[in-house]
Structure formats: structure tokens, C-alpha cells
């Protein structure tokens, strides 16, 4: 009887053990753009002739007590539910958010250039699986205060919304903003984190989703996607490589021409062979190495943008 009881106890513990060992997504919490705009923490900058609104996260963290307290409180609630948090505040230290453009990359042959804003640099560095955007507003009715909030979870690589929660907490006379927010979000927090985990479980099974573009430099070299190697056109060779290197062969060829290939819904492994988070840049590096080798001997330039848009340009470096 004791042996049977011990066996039953062990079986009952197995689901709990498996759940405890389940891999959790890495999150980073951001103040929503609408909150940053309302509190004058947005700049309008010119990036290659186009106006772009850029959040000044570092300024907000240094001058607004509420943003520090609110993000810390939401982070605490996430951590209590087993989520892995990365700190936006720590990551932004040393990055000057007032710089409109801080880095230029260009082709050494043609001089074609791209500009990366300081904001883009933050987005490229923040390699959490999921970004949580929080917007909150304090409502005042006489001596009572309450908080209306919206939590939005977005895939860090595609920007697609994967989870959402919103509501208004109970009014209070004395509670601080962070405490009001905690009381407001608690009702929906378990459901919200379940949505985040469900998305991450899909990533574990089916891979991250990115988009891929392969282009050609217009430098008179004559290189074309219609060029043949051992009877196969270059476009077919790249398409075959995508089929072999995506998770469960999941990707779509969006468009194809003599000078450009575009793929979407490209599922790449969550981690590389060294256990590092795989992103568009690492995935495109593998394709570049493949094309650089014989018999193709094609050099290329990496113009990848962000975590989820892989771009290489063939024919120059």
C-alpha cells in the first residue's frame, strides 16, 4: 500500500514539475507611445528626409517618478508569474536618445547608405521575445483617484499584437499611482500572462516569425536572380535554402523578380546552435555564408533592420 501511495504521489507531481520547468518568454516593459507623447517625451527627428517621432526613454526614466514606479510594479507582477524580465531602464543607460542619427552604414563601392536612429538602436538591442507596452491615466474625482490602464503585448520581431488587457481600478483617497495600477491590473493579469505564454509556446514549436528580402546592387555587374548555377536559377537556389533552413519548412515567397526576392511568414529557430536567441541578422548571416561559398562566390551586404526584417544586398559589401 505504501508503494502504491508513493507512486500515486509521484504521478501527481509530474505535471507540476513539467510546468515548473517550462521555458518562459523574456519580456521588456515599455511606456506606450501615447503616454510618452502626452508627457512630452517624444521628439520629431528627420531620418533620411522623413519625419519620425522618437521616444526619449532615458529622459522619462530620469525625470518622471511615476514611470519608474509603474514599470517596477508591473514587472514585479510579471516576475511573480514566472516571467523573465529585462530592464529597459538599464539598457538605455549610456544611449543618447536626443541624437537623431548616430550611425551610418554604406556600401564601400556605391556609397548607398542607411541611417539608424538612436531609437532604432534601442529596438535592435532589446532582444526580449515580447514587448509589453503600458499606458495609464490617473482619473481624479474630488479627493478620490483611480487608474485606467491598457497593457499590450507585442511580438518583438513582428510587432504583432499577441495579448491585451485593460480596465479601471477602484477609486482611492490615499493610494499612490503604482498601487492603484497594481489593484487595477490584478484582475486581468493571469489571463494576460497566459496569452503571452501561449504565444511563446507557439514560438518554441514553430519558430520565430520574420520577413526576408534579398536584393541586388545596381552596379553594372550583371548579377541577376535569373543567373544559373548547374542548371538552377539563383532565385530557385535561395528558395531551396529557405525551405531547408526554416522551421518545419514554413515560409512564403511573397514576390520574385529579376532584382528582388521577398519572403514573409518566415519561421526561424528560436535559438541557434550555441543557445543564443536567433534573430533576423543571425539568420541572414547564414544565408550570406552559403552564397559566399563555391560555386556561387557571391559577396553581399547586410542591411537588416531591427530584429524581424532581414535584408541582404548581393553584389557588393
Amino acid at each position: 500500500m505504501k508503494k502504491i501511495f508513493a507512486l500515486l504521489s509521484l504521478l501527481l507531481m509530474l505535471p507540476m514539475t513539467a510546468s515548473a520547468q517550462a521555458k518562459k518568454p523574456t519580456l521588456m516593459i515599455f511606456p506606450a507611445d501615447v503616454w510618452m507623447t502626452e508627457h512630452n517625451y517624444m521628439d520629431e527627428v528627420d531620418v533620411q528626409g522623413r519625419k519620425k517621432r522618437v521616444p526619449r526613454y532615458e529622459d522619462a526614466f530620469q525625470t518622471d517618478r511615476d514611470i519608474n514606479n509603474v514599470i517596477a510594479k508591473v514587472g514585479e507582477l510579471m516576475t511573480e508569474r514566472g516571467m523573465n524580465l529585462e530592464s529597459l531602464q538599464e539598457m538605455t543607460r549610456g544611449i543618447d536618445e536626443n541624437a537623431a542619427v548616430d550611425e551610418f552604414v554604406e556600401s564601400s563601392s556605391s556609397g548607398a547608405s542607411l541611417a539608424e536612429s538612436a531609437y532604432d538602436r534601442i529596438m535592435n538591442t532589446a532582444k526580449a521575445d515580447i514587448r509589453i507596452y503600458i499606458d495609464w491615466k490617473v482619473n481624479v474625482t474630488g479627493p478620490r483617484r483611480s487608474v485606467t490602464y491598457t497593457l499590450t503585448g507585442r511580438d518583438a520581431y513582428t510587432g504583432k499584437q499577441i495579448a491585451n488587457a485593460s480596465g479601471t481600478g477602484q477609486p482611492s483617497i490615499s493610494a499612490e499611482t503604482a498601487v492603484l495600477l497594481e489593484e487595477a491590473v490584478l484582475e486581468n493579469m493571469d489571463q494576460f500572462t497566459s496569452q503571452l505564454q501561449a504565444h511563446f509556446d507557439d514560438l518554441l514549436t514553430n519558430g520565430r516569425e520574420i520577413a526576408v528580402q534579398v536584393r541586388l546592387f545596381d552596379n553594372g555587374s550583371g548579377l541577376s536572380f535569373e543567373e544559373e548555377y548547374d542548371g538552377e536559377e539563383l532565385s530557385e537556389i535561395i528558395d531551396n535554402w529557405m525551405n531547408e533552413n526554416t522551421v518545419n519548412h514554413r515560409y512564403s515567397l511573397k514576390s520574385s523578380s529579376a532584382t528582388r526576392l521577398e519572403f514573409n511568414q518566415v519561421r526561424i529557430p528560436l535559438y541557434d546552435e550555441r543557445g543564443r536567441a536567433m534573430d533576423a541578422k543571425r539568420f541572414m548571416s547564414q544565408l550570406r555564408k552559403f552564397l559566399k561559398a563555391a560555386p556561387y562566390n557571391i559577396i553581399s551586404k547586410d542591411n537588416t533592420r531591427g530584429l524581424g526584417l532581414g535584408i541582404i544586398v548581393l553584389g557588393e559589401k
Side-chain angles (χ1 to χ4, degrees), residues 150-311:
T150 300
L151 281 174
T152 304
R154 294 190 178 277
D155 184 283
Y157 290 68
T158 65
K160 292 180 180 179
Q161 180 174 314
I162 57 172
N164 187 71
S166 61
T168 300
Q170 294 297 317
S172 172
I173 295 177
S174 58
E176 296 180 355
T177 300
V179 176
L180 290 172
L181 183 67
E182 178 185 16
E183 294 172 350
V185 304
L186 272 175
E187 182 178 352
N188 296 318
M189 183 56 71
D190 288 337
Q191 181 180 357
F192 182 71
T193 53
S194 293
Q195 293 174 31
L196 300 179
Q197 185 64 50
H199 174 72
F200 187 67
D201 290 343
D202 175 70
L203 298 184
L204 286 170
T205 303
N206 300 307
R208 300 187 194 276
E209 182 180 338
I210 66 169
V212 168
Q213 296 179 13
V214 185
R215 305 175 184 175
L216 297 177
F217 273 114
D218 183 15
N219 58 5
S221 67
L223 183 63
S224 165
F225 289 116
E226 296 175 347
E227 187 169 339
E228 293 191 3
Y229 298 84
D230 297 327
E232 270 192 314
E233 291 187 354
L234 181 57
S235 60
E236 295 177 285
I237 292 167
I238 294 174
D239 189 41
N240 290 338
W241 185 91
M242 294 287 291
N243 182 64
E244 294 172 2
N245 289 274
T246 49
V247 176
N248 298 326
H249 316 291
R250 294 183 62 178
Y251 71 100
S252 296
L253 178 58
K254 181 180 178 182
S255 64
S256 175
S257 70
T259 59
R260 188 184 185 108
L261 298 176
E262 289 192 42
F263 302 87
N264 62 7
Q265 299 176 327
V266 178
R267 292 290 191 136
I268 66 174
L270 204 61
Y271 304 103
D272 65 11
E273 65 281 357
R274 297 182 179 179
R276 300 173 300 185
M278 178 74 83
D279 57 15
K281 189 176 185 67
R282 287 199 171 111
F283 186 70
M284 298 309 286
S285 177
Q286 295 177 357
L287 177 55
R288 292 178 66 210
K289 289 177 182 178
F290 171 76
L291 294 174
K292 187 178 180 181
Y296 316 114
N297 302 313
I298 299 173
I299 61 173
S300 59
K301 183 170 189 62
D302 182 5
N303 280 344
T304 292
R305 299 173 189 171
L307 301 177
L309 177 55
I311 304 174

Side-chain angles (χ1 to χ4, degrees), residues 1-133:
M1 182 64 70
K2 290 183 178 179
K3 291 183 177 179
I4 294 175
F5 180 77
L7 179 60
L8 288 173
S9 299
L10 179 61
L11 290 173
L12 288 172
M13 289 175 62
L14 285 177
M16 295 175 61
T17 302
S19 175
Q21 292 177 346
K23 200 167 186 65
K24 297 291 185 180
T26 301
L27 312 177
M28 184 170 283
I29 303 173
F30 293 78
D33 284 355
V34 64
W35 188 93
M36 296 290 286
T37 299
E38 289 178 352
H39 291 79
N40 299 314
Y41 291 119
M42 297 284 276
D43 283 337
E44 188 174 83
V45 299
D46 190 299
V47 180
Q48 293 186 311
R50 293 193 306 171
K51 297 295 183 182
K52 183 177 181 180
R53 295 184 67 81
V54 177
R56 301 194 319 275
Y57 293 124
E58 191 173 14
D59 280 359
F61 283 124
Q62 290 177 351
T63 59
D64 194 292
R65 189 180 302 276
D66 271 354
I67 190 176
N68 290 280
N69 293 337
V70 164
I71 288 183
K73 180 57 68 176
V74 174
E76 179 183 322
L77 295 175
M78 295 284 186
T79 302
E80 288 174 354
R81 286 156 179 78
M83 298 295 172
N84 302 315
L85 265 292
E86 291 186 356
S87 171
L88 172 64
Q89 183 177 10
E90 290 301 319
M91 195 202 67
T92 56
R93 291 187 191 278
I95 297 178
D96 184 7
E97 275 298 309
N98 294 315
V101 176
D102 68 290
E103 185 176 340
F104 289 87
V105 293
E106 65 177 29
S107 163
S108 57
S109 302
S110 66
S113 64
L114 295 173
E116 181 183 48
S117 71
Y119 170 75
D120 291 331
R121 183 177 173 186
I122 287 178
M123 294 297 101
N124 295 345
T125 305
K127 293 188 178 182
D129 301 301
I130 297 170
R131 294 173 184 162
I132 308 299
Y133 291 90

